[in-house]
Structures are given as structure tokens and as C-alpha cells.
Amino acid sequence: TGLAFHRNSDACKRIDVALSGDVSHVELRRYAGATEAGSQALSDITMDDDATQSGSNQHVRLFFKSGAAPAGGSVLNVTIVATPNAACTDARTPAPLTVGWNLTIATTSPWVNQGSDVATSNGPYSALTLAVAAQRTDTGIAFHRSALGCRQIDVALSGETSQVELIRYQDSNAATPTALSNITMHSTATGNNDHHVKLFLKARAAVTQGDVLDLTIVATPNSSCTDARTPAPLTVSWNLTIATAAAWTNQGSDDSTSDGPFSPLVLQGATDRTAAGLAFHQSSTACRQIDVSLVNNPPSYVELVRYQGSSASASTGLSNITMDSGEGTNNHHVRLFFKAQAAVTGGSTVSVTVVATPNASCTDASTPAPLTVAWNMTIAETSGWVNQGSDVAASNGPYSALTLAVAAQRIDTGLAFHRSAEGCRQIDVALSGDTGQVELIRYAGSDAATPASLSNITMHSGASAGHDHHVKLRAPP
């Protein structure tokens, strides 16, 4: 404490000492010069600056005990009583001496916000956004406190620190020096010496959805702080919440099953686009504005078309599409089409991939990652034309022009068409060329058929009785 007792009288150089008063936090220690004496007995202490034996001149000093915890702002009153040892018999030996000592315990100054202290984060945070962030992300949290007794602060971070870091700041810019010790935190510091620390998530922070990062900052007065009012270290807890991405949800018109298989002949001959039956209409509670695109080198003969309800939308753009069943006429989606005269290959499978990406306007931390959807469309293999039994390609000719000229009945040429395909048994026929002297007649077996029409003729040997028809070429009378 700096207090010491080292007195005697000419009549007595051997002194006993005793302490009383508020002694629970203090103690007397016996000293020989600047070093603790070998004996710590507080009786028969030679207090004589003329002592000839080295180390014989001793005294006592007052110390606070290890771990002393006196109340801040209190005053400890202690009394030391020095008594001549019983060995002193000189008649001049004085009466015991009482000395009062007072120890003032300072009031610890509180930690005070110096203007930039922030204990609440900007979160929750998107794990998806953090994972691709090329720069560190400011959490909004900062420590900027000091006490009247100490403006120079050391800081240290503990807890789940692998994805976060403390950066020393001066106002709104990273500071120099960068060290996290001996930081002047004082709003009235001169020469731009008022610094603080901010908490950042590291670039490409590998955090997990739904996690809460528990962090602790300990602010410790720097060892240069010797003011009695210097406070104890301050511990502050911080939490960073990582959001869970919202699910993609069908908004009513989403369809992942095509209308196929598709006819390559029909698609190739179509003068307008053909609906594939596939549609994308999904969003999440965190983001209703969706960008869509076909990726992975889609075939040139397919396209996405923006729709409002059952009609193509006046807005044709495929970005920032509101996909929300609660938005009435603003609720749009996209459908997949084959373009007019699509050059597809029979027997193939057309595979396309749609990527739906939340629009840049979606900043909610629970915004989901882009969604990839794969669609397949089957193109049918064209079935071959097959003779159904009565097909004849060789005529009965040659024919006599004279005979034909006087024939009262039409003449059977022997030629007949009776083919169909697995994909179609109903056949339309038409004749062209030198047709002035010939005609096609519809037949059922060996007899002319009813109806006589040359369209929608069932040509199938497996048709029920009387329904398998064909056509024959005849020369009229």
C-alpha cells in the first residue's frame, strides 16, 4: 500500500507491532530493507538504522492480501499499535504508539458507449449469399466502449470464430494499425485516435442454414491503464443468426409432365408453335420474382413463352416474373413450346433444363438457391406403311384402246391400294396424274363399299368384319 512503520526510541530499539481495524483485506509484512525478512514474526523487530549486523534493521509494511475485494468507494481504517518489546527495561522506554492509517478504495468507473457501439446484428444472414461473397460481410456489430479510468482497450473474440473476424476501425474505414490491443476508444480523442472494432463474416463464409453463431468479446483495460478507477474486463455476448432457405412451392400452373409422345411429321409441318404441355410456376415465400432460362445448350427448336393464366402474356421477358398465386393478374408463369416447323428426329428424346433464379431484387435472407428442373419430351418413331393384304402395285395391262372404247362397264386395272401403319389405320386417298380415263373405287373385300368416300378409310386386315376397306383403280366405261 506504500504504508510502513519504522520507528523506535533511544530507550528501545526492539518493537512489537499489531494491526487492528478493517483488517480483512490487509496484512503486515516484515521487511529487511527492500526485501522481505526471513522471519515474518511481528514481535521483537529491531528497528534501528544504526544496527551493525547486516539485515538487522527491519520494519513492517502494509499490503493488500492476494485476492482482496474491498468495496469500491470505501475507506479502510486500520490502526497499527507499536509496543516496546518486553526486553526493553530502560526507564525511558516509551508507552505503546498508536498510528492510524486510512486506505481509500476508488470507485470503478463504468464502461461507456463511445458512440459506435452496436450489440445487434444486421441478420439473419443467407448461407447461400455468404458462401459466394468475395468480400467480408459487415454484421453491423461493433464494440466501442471505454471507462473514465481507462481509454486504452484490448479486445479478443471467442466462441464460434472460424467464419468471423474482428477488424479495427476508425470511423467508417479500416484503421491503421490493425492490432486489437491498446486501442484508444474515446469519442473525444484527438488526432483521429478514436478507434473501435467491428465484427465481420469472412469472405465465402461456410456457415450452415439455421445455425446461430454464439460469440463472446472480452474487452480488457490495457496494461498501460494504472488509474485506480480502471474497471474489470468486460464480457459481451453476440449472436449471428443464419437463415434457413424457404422452399420452392408450386403456384398452381407448374407442370412437369409433357403432352408427348409427339409426331415428328406434325411438328415439322406445323406453321405455329406447339405446346409441349410443360410449365414452370414456382416461387418461395422469401422471393416471388423469378428469372427463368433454358441452359446446357437447349435445342434450337424449343422456346419458353411467358403466360398469364391461359394466355400468352403481353410481357415477353423471362426475368423478374411474379410467380405468386395470390397476385391475381400479375401472377405469371412460363410454358415450353416447340417452335414452328421444329426439326425433331423421330424416336428421339428431347431433354431441356430450366433454371429458375430468384431475381436480384430478392434480398430476404431466406431466399432459396436457384432451382434446376429437367424436362424430357419423347418424339415418336414414325411407323411404316404395311400391306394389309389387298394391295396390288402391278396392273392387268396392257390394255386395248379399242376394247376400252366400247366397254359398257368400268374395267378393273388390277391395281389396288390397301396399306396403313401402326400409328394410323384411317387413311385418306387421292389420285393425280392422267386421271381423265380412270377412277378410284372404295372396296370392302371384292365388292364396292358403302360409304364410297375416299377419306377416313379403315385399312386394317384386323378390323372387324366388313370394316376393312381398300381402293381399286378402274377405267370407267
Side-chain angles (χ1 to χ4, degrees), residues 278-359:
L278 297 163
F280 184 86
H281 190 208
Q282 298 185 42
S283 63
S284 74
T285 54
C287 181
R288 301 302 192 185
Q289 285 64 51
I290 309 301
D291 304 343
V292 293
S293 61
L294 292 175
V295 298
N296 300 336
N297 298 315
S300 60
Y301 49 77
V302 295
E303 61 183 332
L304 286 174
V305 179
R306 183 167 173 169
Y307 260 67
Q308 175 188 326
S310 59
S311 303
S313 169
S315 300
T316 58
L318 297 180
S319 63
N320 200 24
I321 305 173
T322 298
M323 295 190 181
D324 185 358
S325 57
E327 282 295 306
T329 57
N330 291 324
N331 177 33
H332 291 192
H333 62 282
V334 291
R335 298 185 184 183
L336 186 69
F337 285 82
F338 289 99
K339 295 178 181 178
Q341 298 176 335
V344 297
T345 301
S348 66
T349 298
V350 178
S351 298
V352 296
T353 302
V354 179
V355 173
T357 304
N359 186 261

Side-chain angles (χ1 to χ4, degrees), residues 208-245:
T208 302
Q209 294 185 34
D211 272 3
V212 176
L213 304 185
D214 296 315
L215 303 162
T216 300
I217 186 171
V218 176
T220 305
N222 186 262
S223 58
S224 63
C225 292
T226 57
D227 191 304
R229 298 168 296 174
T230 298
L234 176 66
T235 300
V236 178
S237 294
W238 289 334
N239 293 323
L240 299 178
T241 300
I242 311 302
T244 298

Side-chain angles (χ1 to χ4, degrees), residues 108-345:
T108 302
S109 52
W111 289 89
V112 178
N113 180 356
Q114 294 302 310
S116 298
D117 194 81
V118 181
T120 304
S121 79
N122 295 332
Y125 303 92
S126 166
L128 304 172
T129 300
L130 292 175
V132 298
Q135 305 294 326
R136 62 172 68 104
T137 300
D138 189 350
T139 68
I141 291 177
F143 183 85
H144 190 209
R145 304 188 207 180
S146 63
L148 184 63
C150 182
R151 302 303 189 186
Q152 284 66 48
I153 309 301
D154 302 342
V155 293
L157 193 66
S158 62
E160 300 175 33
T161 59
S162 62
Q163 304 303 321
V164 296
E165 57 188 333
L166 281 177
I167 305 295
R168 184 168 173 168
Y169 259 67
Q170 176 189 321
D171 297 325
S172 58
N173 299 306
T176 302
T178 60
L180 299 180
S181 61
N182 200 24
I183 306 172
T184 298
M185 295 190 181
H186 192 195
S187 58
T188 62
T190 59
N192 296 321
N193 289 320
D194 179 28
H195 291 187
H196 59 284
V197 291
K198 297 179 76 173
L199 184 68
F200 287 82
L201 285 150
K202 294 178 180 178
R204 297 183 176 86
V207 296
T208 302
Q209 294 185 34
D211 272 3
V212 176
L213 304 185
D214 296 315
L215 303 162
T216 300
I217 186 171
V218 176
T220 305
N222 186 262
S223 58
S224 63
C225 292
T226 57
D227 191 304
R229 298 168 296 174
T230 298
L234 176 66
T235 300
V236 178
S237 294
W238 289 334
N239 293 323
L240 299 178
T241 300
I242 311 302
T244 298
W248 287 90
T249 304
N250 181 357
Q251 293 301 305
S253 297
D254 194 78
D255 194 341
S256 59
T257 303
S258 80
D259 291 342
F262 299 93
S263 164
L265 300 177
V266 171
L267 292 176
Q268 292 164 12
T271 58
D272 200 356
R273 63 170 67 106
T274 300
L278 297 163
F280 184 86
H281 190 208
Q282 298 185 42
S283 63
S284 74
T285 54
C287 181
R288 301 302 192 185
Q289 285 64 51
I290 309 301
D291 304 343
V292 293
S293 61
L294 292 175
V295 298
N296 300 336
N297 298 315
S300 60
Y301 49 77
V302 295
E303 61 183 332
L304 286 174
V305 179
R306 183 167 173 169
Y307 260 67
Q308 175 188 326
S310 59
S311 303
S313 169
S315 300
T316 58
L318 297 180
S319 63
N320 200 24
I321 305 173
T322 298
M323 295 190 181
D324 185 358
S325 57
E327 282 295 306
T329 57
N330 291 324
N331 177 33
H332 291 192
H333 62 282
V334 291
R335 298 185 184 183
L336 186 69
F337 285 82
F338 289 99
K339 295 178 181 178
Q341 298 176 335
V344 297
T345 301

Side-chain angles (χ1 to χ4, degrees), residues 450-461:
T450 301
S453 169
L454 297 182
S455 63
N456 198 21
I457 306 171
T458 298
M459 294 189 182
H460 189 198
S461 58

Side-chain angles (χ1 to χ4, degrees), residues 361-393:
S361 63
C362 293
T363 57
D364 191 301
S366 55
T367 298
L371 177 64
T372 300
V373 178
W375 287 335
N376 293 319
M377 296 164 291
T378 301
I379 309 302
E381 183 75 63
T382 303
S383 51
W385 289 90
V386 178
N387 180 353
Q388 294 300 313
S390 298
D391 192 81
V392 180

